[in-house]
Amino acid sequence: MTAESAMRPVQAAVYARLTGDATLMALITGVFDFVLDDYPYVVIGEATEVPDNRHGGFGRQTVITLHVWTQSEGHGPGLTIADRVTELLDHQPLTIPGLDHIATRFEFSQTLTDPEPPGNIRHVVLRYRIVTEQH
């Protein structure tokens, strides 16, 4: 057995969880891995991965960053979307083919305002740590 990256299966599991939720999908135009101009939406963004091995087995801690993009006068709509994303991921089991899901933990959020005109683009950054083991 050799250690394999968990990034791709983790991203796929997060995508499936988010797009499979009717409540979230009613709030946004979609979940993507790129930025577009059809607000509001969620982007599955950057990820980092570190080994989390145990005696006789391989594990990974994958930290995934999600971006909520809205076009509004304030952060309220983006924060509503961010709250739903956190409800779906934080301390919730994920089905990840080829891996055992150990835990998902919310780590961080930040609100940002795009200073470029028209000045009403809002951005919420969310970060989650997903711990997995190969079976």
Side-chain angles (χ1 to χ4, degrees):
M1 175 189 269
T2 60
E4 296 180 16
S5 174
M7 281 190 190
R8 189 177 315 226
V10 164
Q11 179 178 355
V14 168
Y15 178 83
R17 170 62 54 84
L18 298 180
T19 59
D21 182 68
T23 301
L24 177 64
M25 295 310 291
L27 296 172
I28 60 176
T29 61
V31 177
F32 308 99
D33 63 357
F34 55 89
V35 176
L36 64 153
D37 290 329
D38 191 15
Y39 301 98
Y41 59 91
V42 174
V43 171
I44 298 176
E46 305 75 20
T48 61
E49 182 178 80
V50 296
D52 191 19
N53 299 327
R54 58 181 164 71
H55 183 69
F58 296 104
R60 294 284 188 267
Q61 290 193 24
T62 305
V63 177
I64 193 164
T65 303
L66 304 178
H67 303 270
V68 176
W69 290 95
T70 60
Q71 189 170 26
S72 62
E73 295 303 316
H75 288 289
L79 291 171
T80 297
I81 295 165
D83 286 346
R84 183 62 185 162
V85 169
T86 297
E87 286 176 35
L88 292 169
L89 296 177
D90 189 31
H91 288 85
Q92 298 301 313
L94 285 174
T95 301
I96 307 172
L99 299 171
D100 294 324
H101 175 259
I102 306 303
T104 298
R105 297 182 194 101
F106 170 78
E107 283 197 345
F108 168 89
S109 66
Q110 179 181 10
T111 58
L112 300 166
T113 302
D114 188 338
E116 298 297 318
N120 63 348
I121 305 301
R122 302 292 188 256
H123 181 190
V124 181
V125 181
L126 303 164
R127 192 167 57 208
Y128 302 87
R129 181 174 303 270
I130 300 169
V131 183
T132 57
E133 290 182 351
Q134 286 182 232
H135 43 243

